[in-house]
Amino acid sequence: MANIFDQFDAPTAPAKAPAPSGNVFDQFDAPAPAAPAPPISTGLDVAESAASGLPRGLVETIMSPVTLARMTESGLGYVGEKGADLGAYLGMTRLTDEQRAVFREPSAITKPFYDSQDKVRDYMNHKLHKPQTGPGKFAGTIAEFATPGGFPGKASREAPNVLSKIGRYAEEAFGNVVAPAIASEAAGQATEGTSYEPTMRFLGALFGNAGTAAARAHNAPESVIRRATEGTTDAQWAEAQRLQNNGTGIRLSGPEAISQAQGGASKLTDILRIVEGSQTGGNRTAPFFAQRPGQVDNAVGGVLDQIAPQSPQPSALGAIAATAAQKAISATPQGQELIDAIMGAGPRTTALEAGQAIQEPLRGIYDRREGMRAALGDQDYAAARKAAPSIPVDGLVPESTTVRPAYTSIKPTAAEGEDVATAMTPVAVPAKTETPALTSRTGPEAIQADPRDVVKFIDDLAPTAKASAKTALQQVRQSLFDKGGVDTSVTGLDATRHQIGDMINVATRSGENHTATVLQKVLDKLDENLMSVPEYGQAKKNFAAASAPLEPFGSPGMSKAIDRDPYNKRFVTAPEDVPAALSSPSEAKNFNAVAPTDARVAYENHLATQILDKATDANGAVDANRLALALRDNQDMLSHFPAVADRLGKIVNADAGMASARGGPVGQIANAQDTATASSAILPQNPLAGSAPEAADATARLAAQDPETTAALVRQNLADRYSAAQTETQGGSRESAGAKFHKSVAGNDQRQEVLDAVLRALPGGQAAAAMPELLDVLQATMRRQGPGSATEFNRQIADSLGGGSILSNLVRPDLIPGKITGLVTNAGDAVRRVQLGRNVRTLADLFVDPQSVDLIRDTANRRPRNGYGDAAGRTALEAGQTLYDPQGAR
């Protein structure tokens, strides 16, 4: 076959000739092929031509390696031959026919392949239908191009679903098959029957493929999408699709979902901002984004409801949570140790309970000791009473005593029988002097005692004594007399002594301290007188020794605790007043010296109760600092009760070990006074770094005590933050509420970790599972940029409104100097505005479509920007039926 490039040097043949053999490029030197056969039925011809074109295209595609080799070898031969001809023009030797044949004929190696290819084509030309009509030829060419141009491209292969794959393949088939086939056939029919037909068919296919690639590459919206999504991985596409198909009910635009999947590294949101800011695009996107506040409200509310229902009394949550937190603290090992220490301080014992436990047993001790003393004293005093009189009566000297000393009065109270007038002027009253007589029960010779000095001592005290004391002295003086004289018997004087003691007790209980003091002096004087009787003195010494065990009962407090009414035998002091009577260190010492075990334990428990009560607040919590101060202030008292000091000291020490349990979130909640403080403690706005485990532990501990309140507290915290995020902007928009909420609860890694930890620690875990998707979606809404300044778009609107028509511009004075140029410019601007609006509207519809991510990916994958290489490759595969076996040469 001759070299195909020779056709450019040969005249156009008037008729079609049989396909030459040998080098294909020789066809340009051959006569034109014969005319086609008469046409048949168009419909039948179209059907048969299409049916025969499919296998022909398939076979040619299979033989494409041979075709490409043939094209390469023919081209090289043509270049060599023309190079030799050029050398002849320059004076070199012209090629002979034999030498030209070398350039035009295939090599020995490739010729068998070319011959085989020619035989296959001859066979197909003989067996397959040959188009007879124009439509049939187009149908046949399209069918022949179906195989080399019908391979699915990247767009159709990666389309998200079957329908998308079918639609994308149809689009690719039209661009890769129909368009180049029509262009090739049209060029072939225009030159059919000439030697240029193969080349024109080839160029038609080439230009058709290149045109498709150019149209795809220069489609403005698609070009923008391709550039903005370049480098997006399959995993990122899948993540974006998951985000757009989220189950929260929040619809995301494609740019938002893709940008979120790429961690914000996407330029699509810049395009979205431009689209939103334009009038045309904004009209399409505004309704989409206007629904977002409601969608976010429902989504956030749904997740919060999975945590807990909204509390009907949110202000009470803080106090309830504080109680739960206190229980949680108590449940810790340190808390149990503190509880054990408090319980170890002894049972709570009131003053009444202590007094009842002390008074009767203490009185019993006193009665037993007093009874022993009385038994011993009775024996000794009985001997003293029977002592022989040792004072001779004959040796006694008479003594006088002043019964009523001299004094001055404006209304004298002289003794009966004295003739003293009553007057309002001072009158001197003389003292009465008497010589008291002695009476003796032991006979006239001797007496046991001479108590006249006691009588004289009383008469000396009476003038300066107060009224009550003076009355008491008179009673004592009378008791010293027996049958008109002073009693000299030990028995009588001892009886008077006991009477004086009773009077002293009565005066002490009545608060008549002066009377008691005066009577005590008289008693001491009487004891001095009785001690002159040897037997009585010995009895007194023995009685004093027996009274030593009763000395602790002699203090005011102890006496008050055990004193009985001599008549009804009831205790004079009420039981609840007994602990107070013993509340001084000296009284405590006396009490400890004689108290039985049960009474002492009761008093210790009451003492511990008193000190603990002073260190306990209204909620029953012990303040260790106040307790430590109370221990210091009661040190003297507690020195007599070391067991109480030790037990209370253990409380202080155990409380010191509670620092760690009280210092964390649970401790903060326990001290919270309101719901806001309590909820911020468990889910703080700005948590400390690394505090997620601490927050989870606090939530779990609090939930173990009160799961409902804990969950309600967490919900209230998140609900309050969302409420703050919902605050309308100056423009009245709430579209950024979700983004603000995300920033508030998960705006950094630490907030995110603490939120996740708290939700996982709540019972159920539903919110922990639902929150991540919600936060992802809300973060995706953050990727959307505000439209920014509307200056440029306002200018476009103004230009559109004020631009007028082309006809009106003909009369504008400012355009007269360069009217033609101005009209062209205005017309170009108008076209540009129309095209811009169309492209922006296309992008807006693409971005807010429910399947936006899929559509964007589909658009990005339609063809790469450099699609001309694919076009050249398809054209090369179609070379067999365009260059070597064209329609007109069959």
Side-chain angles (χ1 to χ4, degrees):
M1 178 180 292
N3 195 310
I4 190 173
F5 293 100
D6 291 339
Q7 63 183 300
F8 298 109
D9 302 324
T12 303
K16 189 180 299 182
S21 60
N23 195 315
V24 68
F25 292 96
D26 291 337
Q27 61 185 298
F28 296 109
D29 300 325
I40 62 173
S41 169
T42 301
L44 180 61
D45 186 50
V46 169
E48 291 183 357
S49 297
S52 64
L54 290 174
R56 187 183 296 274
L58 177 59
V59 172
E60 287 291 349
T61 300
I62 296 173
M63 295 190 302
S64 60
V66 179
T67 303
L68 294 176
R70 200 167 190 172
M71 287 177 64
T72 303
E73 189 172 9
S74 297
L76 292 175
Y78 182 80
V79 172
E81 182 181 357
K82 295 306 178 182
D85 290 343
L86 178 61
Y89 287 122
L90 298 177
M92 297 178 65
T93 304
R94 182 178 298 276
L95 293 178
T96 65
D97 292 339
E98 290 78 7
Q99 290 174 333
R100 289 183 183 278
V102 173
F103 286 104
R104 297 186 178 188
E105 292 298 325
S107 67
I109 297 175
T110 58
K111 190 175 186 306
F113 293 99
Y114 299 165
D115 292 341
S116 299
Q117 187 181 49
D118 290 338
K119 292 179 180 180
V120 172
R121 287 172 177 160
D122 289 341
Y123 181 81
M124 289 191 296
N125 292 336
H126 178 68
K127 294 294 184 180
L128 297 178
H129 174 75
K130 183 177 182 180
Q132 301 297 315
T133 65
K137 293 178 181 180
F138 279 99
T141 302
I142 292 173
E144 290 176 15
F145 278 39
T147 299
F151 292 108
K154 183 178 180 181
S156 59
R157 291 197 305 271
E158 298 187 7
N161 51 58
V162 175
L163 291 178
S164 296
K165 289 179 183 295
I166 294 174
R168 196 54 58 216
Y169 180 76
E171 186 273 336
E172 289 182 352
F174 181 84
N176 298 345
V177 177
V178 177
I182 292 177
S184 177
E185 182 61 31
Q189 288 193 26
T191 58
E192 188 173 11
T194 71
S195 60
Y196 298 106
E197 179 185 358
T199 302
M200 294 306 294
R201 287 185 179 272
F202 178 82
L203 293 177
L206 177 61
F207 293 147
N209 283 314
T212 299
R216 289 169 176 165
H218 295 89
N219 182 290
E222 292 186 2
S223 178
V224 168
I225 294 297
R226 281 196 297 271
R227 288 194 296 268
T229 58
E230 185 175 4
T232 306
T233 66
D234 291 341
Q236 290 170 341
W237 284 118
E239 174 63 13
Q241 187 177 40
R242 182 192 69 81
L243 286 168
Q244 190 167 55
N245 296 333
N246 69 84
T248 66
I250 301 174
R251 289 188 57 194
L252 294 177
S253 67
E256 290 174 311
I258 295 171
S259 180
Q260 175 67 9
Q262 293 182 317
S266 174
K267 302 301 291 182
L268 280 174
T269 50
D270 291 338
I271 302 173
L272 175 61
R273 178 179 63 85
I274 295 173
V275 170
E276 280 196 77
S278 69
Q279 184 178 15
T280 302
N283 288 337
R284 300 298 182 99
T285 59
F288 176 85
F289 289 112
Q291 300 176 33
R292 177 157 293 172
Q295 295 169 355
V296 174
D297 288 349
N298 294 333
V300 174
V303 174
L304 295 185
D305 287 342
Q306 293 184 39
I307 298 175
Q310 176 60 52
S311 171
Q313 294 180 311
S315 59
L317 287 175
I320 301 173
T323 301
Q326 291 165 1
K327 293 179 181 178
I329 292 174
S330 299
T332 62
Q334 299 91 335
Q336 288 299 311
E337 183 178 350
L338 177 60
I339 292 174
D340 292 342
I342 294 174
M343 296 301 294
R348 177 176 175 79
T349 304
T350 65
L352 176 61
E353 293 170 339
Q356 291 173 339
I358 291 171
Q359 203 167 28
E360 192 65 49
L362 196 62
R363 178 69 196 201
I365 295 293
Y366 173 81
D367 287 344
R368 288 193 295 274
R369 293 188 179 189
E370 199 277 335
M372 181 64 69
R373 183 187 68 172
L376 295 174
D378 288 346
Q379 180 179 353
D380 293 335
Y381 284 114
R385 293 185 192 101
K386 296 177 181 180
S390 58
I391 300 175
V393 174
D394 293 339
L396 296 176
V397 178
E399 292 185 4
S400 296
T401 179
T402 300
V403 177
R404 181 172 287 120
Y407 61 90
T408 300
S409 174
I410 60 174
K411 187 174 182 182
T413 57
E416 293 182 3
E418 293 183 0
D419 187 11
V420 179
T422 299
M424 294 303 294
T425 59
V427 176
V429 179
K432 177 183 178 181
T433 302
E434 67 173 14
T435 301
L438 298 175
T439 61
S440 175
R441 299 180 182 181
T442 57
E445 293 81 10
I447 57 176
Q448 292 177 314
D450 183 4
R452 286 179 296 174
D453 60 338
V454 178
V455 174
K456 184 178 180 180
F457 183 76
I458 292 174
D459 289 342
D460 291 339
L461 287 175
T464 59
K466 294 181 179 180
S468 59
K470 188 178 295 185
T471 301
L473 289 174
Q474 290 175 353
Q475 292 177 356
V476 173
R477 193 174 191 278
Q478 288 177 353
S479 67
L480 288 173
F481 286 81
D482 180 33
K483 297 180 180 180
V486 180
D487 194 347
T488 59
S489 66
V490 172
T491 301
L493 294 176
D494 186 58
T496 300
R497 184 187 181 282
H498 285 290
Q499 181 181 352
I500 295 173
D502 290 340
M503 293 174 67
I504 291 174
N505 290 334
V506 171
T508 301
R509 289 197 300 269
S510 302
E512 298 289 342
N513 295 329
H514 173 70
T515 301
T517 300
V518 171
L519 291 176
Q520 185 63 46
K521 292 177 180 180
V522 175
L523 181 62
D524 293 341
K525 189 66 176 179
L526 180 58
D527 283 342
E528 181 182 346
N529 186 271
L530 285 172
M531 289 294 286
S532 63
V533 180
E535 291 82 359
Y536 191 88
Q538 186 61 44
K540 185 72 173 176
K541 291 179 181 179
N542 292 341
F543 189 81
S547 296
L550 291 174
E551 288 180 0
F553 295 98
S555 63
M558 291 290 286
S559 298
K560 185 176 181 180
I562 64 172
D563 194 20
R564 289 185 188 271
D565 188 292
Y567 302 105
N568 57 25
K569 301 301 179 180
R570 295 176 181 174
F571 285 106
V572 175
T573 302
E576 60 270 21
D577 295 330
V578 170
L582 304 175
S583 60
S584 68
S586 58
E587 294 293 350
K589 179 181 178 181
N590 292 333
F591 174 76
N592 268 343
V594 297
T597 300
D598 291 346
R600 186 167 57 252
V601 169
Y603 187 79
E604 288 179 345
N605 290 339
H606 174 66
L607 178 60
T609 299
Q610 276 188 311
I611 295 176
L612 274 178
D613 284 351
K614 293 178 181 179
T616 303
D617 61 21
N619 297 322
V622 176
D623 187 329
N625 294 327
R626 291 167 58 188
L627 180 58
L629 292 175
L631 291 176
R632 184 196 66 183
D633 295 343
N634 291 275
Q635 185 175 358
D636 291 339
M637 186 70 174
L638 291 173
S639 65
H640 298 289
F641 301 98
V644 176
D646 180 66
R647 296 198 298 265
L648 296 180
K650 289 181 178 179
I651 296 176
V652 175
N653 294 334
D655 186 84
M658 292 287 291
S660 59
R662 289 172 175 162
V666 176
Q668 297 174 29
I669 296 173
N671 296 327
Q673 301 297 319
D674 52 52
T675 300
T677 304
S679 66
S680 295
I682 198 170
L683 200 60
Q685 175 73 37
N686 295 302
L688 298 175
S691 61
E694 182 181 54
D697 175 70
T699 305
R701 289 167 53 194
L702 198 64
Q705 302 300 324
D706 192 341
E708 291 79 11
T709 298
T710 304
L713 194 65
V714 173
R715 186 201 198 281
Q716 189 65 43
N717 180 284
L718 296 176
D720 290 343
R721 293 199 199 182
Y722 183 64
S723 179
Q726 285 181 300
T727 303
E728 293 180 348
T729 63
Q730 186 174 1
S733 172
R734 292 195 304 113
E735 292 180 7
S736 61
K740 292 179 181 178
F741 178 68
H742 180 279
K743 179 181 178 181
S744 175
V745 303
N748 55 42
D749 292 343
Q750 194 54 43
R751 291 179 186 176
Q752 177 79 64
E753 291 172 6
V754 170
L755 176 62
D756 291 344
V758 168
L759 293 181
R760 286 196 302 269
L762 290 176
Q766 300 91 334
M771 185 63 79
E773 182 183 34
L774 174 63
L775 292 178
D776 280 348
V777 174
L778 294 182
Q779 189 177 37
T781 66
M782 297 174 65
R783 308 298 183 186
R784 174 191 175 206
Q785 303 176 22
S789 174
T791 302
E792 172 62 18
F793 298 105
N794 290 339
R795 185 192 62 77
Q796 294 178 14
I797 295 172
D799 288 347
S800 298
L801 294 175
S805 65
I806 296 177
L807 182 62
S808 66
N809 289 332
L810 291 174
V811 295
R812 284 178 53 182
D814 58 318
L815 292 181
I816 292 175
K819 191 156 308 281
I820 300 301
T821 303
L823 289 176
V824 172
T825 301
N826 288 343
D829 289 345
V831 172
R832 180 177 176 276
R833 285 195 297 270
V834 171
Q835 185 61 38
L836 175 63
R838 182 182 299 110
N839 291 339
V840 167
R841 183 167 55 251
T842 299
L843 289 173
D845 292 341
L846 178 66
F847 289 163
V848 300
D849 190 276
Q851 301 298 323
S852 177
V853 172
D854 292 338
L855 294 176
I856 292 174
R857 183 180 188 183
D858 191 22
T859 300
N861 289 336
R862 286 187 181 181
R863 295 305 295 173
R865 287 178 297 178
N866 56 348
Y868 297 107
D870 288 346
R874 286 195 303 275
T875 305
L877 294 178
E878 296 160 352
Q881 54 262 48
T882 57
L883 280 177
Y884 293 96
D885 193 24
Q887 288 270 16
R890 296 172 188 167

